[in-house]
Amino acid sequence: MSQFSRADAVDRLARLIETVEQDSMPVPVREVWVYGDLALGIDPIDRLDVYLTKDLLFHGDASKEEAFIESHGIEGVGKTVSAEWADAHPEALCANTNGHAAPEKCLAAHLIDDEPIHLEVCNTGFENNVTQRLKGAMARQDYEQILDPRGVCLWVDGTQSEDAFEKLRSGELVFPTLPDALEMLGMDADETTEAANAIKHYRERQTGATVRGDVV
């Protein structure tokens, strides 16, 4: 199984953020977080979990949509993802099952290769999405969909947190166990171990590069 050492994982995060800063993106990216094993000080890690907060695409060029329908069979270019970005990176243009350009898939295609990285993409910040996902998972008892709340923000609106990166490199960040973290967020104590095991088993089944898009 492919793994990242702590140093390599942090370097990979730095390169990902550099790409977000320097390249045109399919949609605006507002925040970059890391959560899970790397934030916990584990070394090496099996997978790198990254969370992106995206904004909606405003002032797009919808006039390009027809050309991409003809060339790629994908709708929504210039509406849901940037036409300028699609012109520059047509190989990374991806669609959902309905044939519309999918921002989260386009971001993943641009930012990660075939490597053990999971990308969570949502229109709201990490902490808010953690809460919303937990509420939904508790209501449905679908614990695999819980988002591990133990995360750290590395980059916001063009500003990188050097302090957070230093602590990530040295493993200085301190978090509770996952059951304790879930209990702190309102889950009943008798459910937390079951939920943590479900999350662990779900993660163990994931391989390679994966992405999940969410709307709150």
Side-chain angles (χ1 to χ4, degrees):
M1 177 184 293
S2 298
Q3 292 181 318
F4 284 107
S5 70
R6 163 167 297 280
D8 286 344
V10 177
D11 287 344
R12 183 65 183 88
L13 277 171
R15 293 196 303 274
L16 186 148
I17 290 173
E18 183 178 353
T19 302
V20 169
E21 290 181 325
Q22 296 182 357
D23 289 8
S24 65
M25 290 286 105
V27 289
V29 175
R30 181 165 22 105
E31 297 178 354
V32 180
W33 291 66
V34 64
Y35 65 99
D37 287 351
L38 182 60
L40 300 177
I42 296 172
D43 188 4
I45 62 169
D46 292 332
R47 292 179 67 74
L48 177 58
D49 293 303
V50 182
Y51 184 98
L52 301 185
T53 304
K54 71 175 183 65
D55 286 327
L56 294 174
L57 180 69
F58 294 106
H59 311 298
D61 185 0
S63 66
K64 297 288 187 69
E65 180 180 27
E66 192 62 37
F68 279 95
I69 292 175
E70 293 181 3
S71 62
H72 288 71
I74 295 177
E75 301 178 33
V77 175
K79 296 178 180 177
T80 57
V81 302
S82 163
E84 178 184 5
W85 171 83
D87 277 332
H89 304 280
E91 75 289 348
L93 181 59
C94 302
N96 59 25
T97 55
N98 295 321
H100 285 79
E104 73 282 358
K105 292 184 177 182
C106 293
L107 282 166
H110 189 122
L111 293 171
I112 59 179
D113 297 315
D114 186 18
E115 50 194 331
I117 297 178
H118 175 66
L119 203 63
E120 286 275 343
V121 180
C122 189
N123 63 309
T124 193
F126 177 78
E127 293 166 313
N128 185 49
N129 200 15
V130 163
T131 302
Q132 296 303 316
R133 289 264 290 274
L134 181 60
K135 288 179 179 178
M138 290 168 62
R140 299 187 300 272
Q141 292 191 318
D142 183 11
Y143 299 138
E144 289 185 347
Q145 300 309 309
I146 291 173
L147 184 60
D148 190 335
R150 299 165 300 174
V152 57
C153 186
L154 300 174
W155 182 91
V156 180
D157 292 331
T159 300
Q160 182 170 298
S161 173
E162 296 299 335
D163 182 59
F165 258 99
E166 288 175 7
K167 290 182 178 180
L168 201 61
R169 285 189 184 279
S170 60
E172 292 180 37
L173 297 163
V174 178
F175 290 99
T177 65
L178 183 51
D180 285 345
L182 296 175
E183 185 175 356
M184 291 167 62
L185 291 173
M187 178 174 272
D188 290 340
D190 59 356
E191 296 181 78
T192 57
T193 299
E194 179 184 354
N197 286 334
I199 296 168
K200 177 178 181 289
H201 294 151
Y202 176 78
R203 284 168 49 82
E204 288 173 348
R205 298 197 301 270
Q206 309 308 302
T207 59
T210 55
V211 60
R212 174 192 167 110
D214 211 358
V215 176
V216 175

